[in-house]
């Protein structure tokens, strides 16, 4: 390597080590140097790929917004896709401007065994008092196998199943396939979270309810990722799950984010 090349590499390394988040307020549609700086930070932290600059560097497009929402969800910020004071503070800490190792998003799929996607069997059955399809049943059985290893009592008991139309509080999420509400009031909070994690490992978008200011009675809401008969509102919740939301109106950060989102590899194509 020539002397000039060494100096150039040193300058690049120095610039990278001094990377800090922008101070401007930004949202989708913004353009300019501040947006480009935000994108560099998101790339460095592992939330954005350079190849996803579909609208060009320095343009705040949908890929940048999705990356920012994911960052916000993993760092306790309001998940709104707006970059402001709260996100700046969290990003500054994540980048480790004092020399700390930059934080990375949780590794999805790392906690679940590499298994194949469940068969697309949508035959409806009555099981444990509710209506589900065979695909959902197979996924529940997988979740129970993970739960047992964590010391969670099984079998899982349901309070609501799939294909349950006209139930207002569910906002249509149970109208189609793949939707379940699971009884959890009798479980301790640590045990309930283990069950949520087991469901996520099996391929469910799952959240505990009744603990994070949502005003609901305690239960676990679970949606079988990739169910072809899922309602439109349930699909929207699954989309929120992947970028770290709670699946409720207002798109707050996932209240169960401490357990991560260890979905299996086969579920990645539904992101």
């Amino acid at each position: 390597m020539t002397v000039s090349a060494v100096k150039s590499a040193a300058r690049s390394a120095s610039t990278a080590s001094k990377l800090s988040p922008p101070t401007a307020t930004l949202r989708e549609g913004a353009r300019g140097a501040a947006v480009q700086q935000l994108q560099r930070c998101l790339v460095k932290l592992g939330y954005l790929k350079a190849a996803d600059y579909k609208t060009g560097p320095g343009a705040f497009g949908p890929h940048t917004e999705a990356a920012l929402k994911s960052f916000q969800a993993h760092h306790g910020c309001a998940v709104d896709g707006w970059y402001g004071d709260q996100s700046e503070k969290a990003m500054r800490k994540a980048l480790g401007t004092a020399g700390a190792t930059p934080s990375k998003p949780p590794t999805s799929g790392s906690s679940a065994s590499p298994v194949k996607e469940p068969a697309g069997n949508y035959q409806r059955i009555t099981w444990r008092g509710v209506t589900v399809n065979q695909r959902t049943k197979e996924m529940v059985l997988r979740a129970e196998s993970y739960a047992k290893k964590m010391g969670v009592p099984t079998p899982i008991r349901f309070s609501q199943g799939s294909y349950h139309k006209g139930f207002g509080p569910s906002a249509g999420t149970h109208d189609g396939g793949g939707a379940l509400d699971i009884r959890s009031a009798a479980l301790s909070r640590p045990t309930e979270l283990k069950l949520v994690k087991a469901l996520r490992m099996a391929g469910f978008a799952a959240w505990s309810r009744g603990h994070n200011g949502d005003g609901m009675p305690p239960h676990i809401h679970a949606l079988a990722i990739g169910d072809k008969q899922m309602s439109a509102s349930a699909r929207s919740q699954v989309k929120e799950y992947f970028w770290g939301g709670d699946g409720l109106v207002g798109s707050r950060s996932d209240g169960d984010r401490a357990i991560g989102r260890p979905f299996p590899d086969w579920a990645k194509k539904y992101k």
Side-chain angles (χ1 to χ4, degrees), residues 3 39 65 77 92 113 143 152 156 160 177 180 184 186 199 217 229 233 259 263:
V3 173
Q39 291 170 332
E65 182 183 49
C77 303
R92 194 172 297 280
S113 299
V152 178
I156 294 172
Q160 187 178 182
L180 292 169
S184 64
L199 288 160
Q229 296 182 348
S233 56
I259 63 173
F263 50 84

Side-chain angles (χ1 to χ4, degrees), residues 57-224:
F60 195 131
H63 287 85
T64 300
E65 182 183 49
L68 177 59
K69 283 182 175 180
S70 183
F71 171 84
Q72 289 171 329
H74 292 143
H75 292 272
C77 303
V79 185
D80 54 12
W82 285 61
Y83 177 84
D85 291 344
Q86 187 184 44
S87 295
E88 180 192 343
K89 183 177 179 180
M91 191 167 289
R92 194 172 297 280
K93 182 178 179 181
L95 284 165
T97 53
T101 301
S103 64
K104 296 287 185 178
T107 302
S108 300
S110 60
S111 299
S113 299
V115 295
K116 293 182 179 180
E117 181 174 358
N121 185 344
Y122 294 97
Q123 178 186 355
R124 299 185 193 184
I125 59 172
T126 300
W127 185 50
R128 298 181 185 174
V130 298
T131 300
V132 297
N133 59 46
Q134 290 283 4
R135 182 180 186 272
T136 302
K137 177 181 177 180
E138 181 180 347
M139 290 175 64
V140 169
L141 293 175
R142 291 183 183 185
E144 286 183 340
S145 69
Y146 297 131
K148 287 179 182 178
K149 294 176 182 178
M150 299 180 199
V152 178
T154 55
I156 294 172
R157 298 298 183 187
F158 313 121
S159 57
Q160 187 178 182
S162 307
Y163 310 105
H164 188 181
K165 295 185 178 181
F167 187 63
S170 296
T173 55
H174 289 260
D175 287 3
L180 292 169
D181 280 348
I182 295 165
R183 301 182 189 276
S184 64
L187 302 176
S188 68
R189 182 62 174 149
T191 300
E192 183 183 38
L193 286 173
K194 287 178 182 178
L195 181 52
V196 173
K197 184 173 183 177
L199 288 160
R200 292 180 175 188
M201 290 169 64
F204 286 93
W207 303 267
S208 67
R209 302 297 193 208
H211 300 284
N212 303 306
D214 53 34
M216 299 183 186
H219 69 283
I220 296 171
H221 180 58
L223 300 168

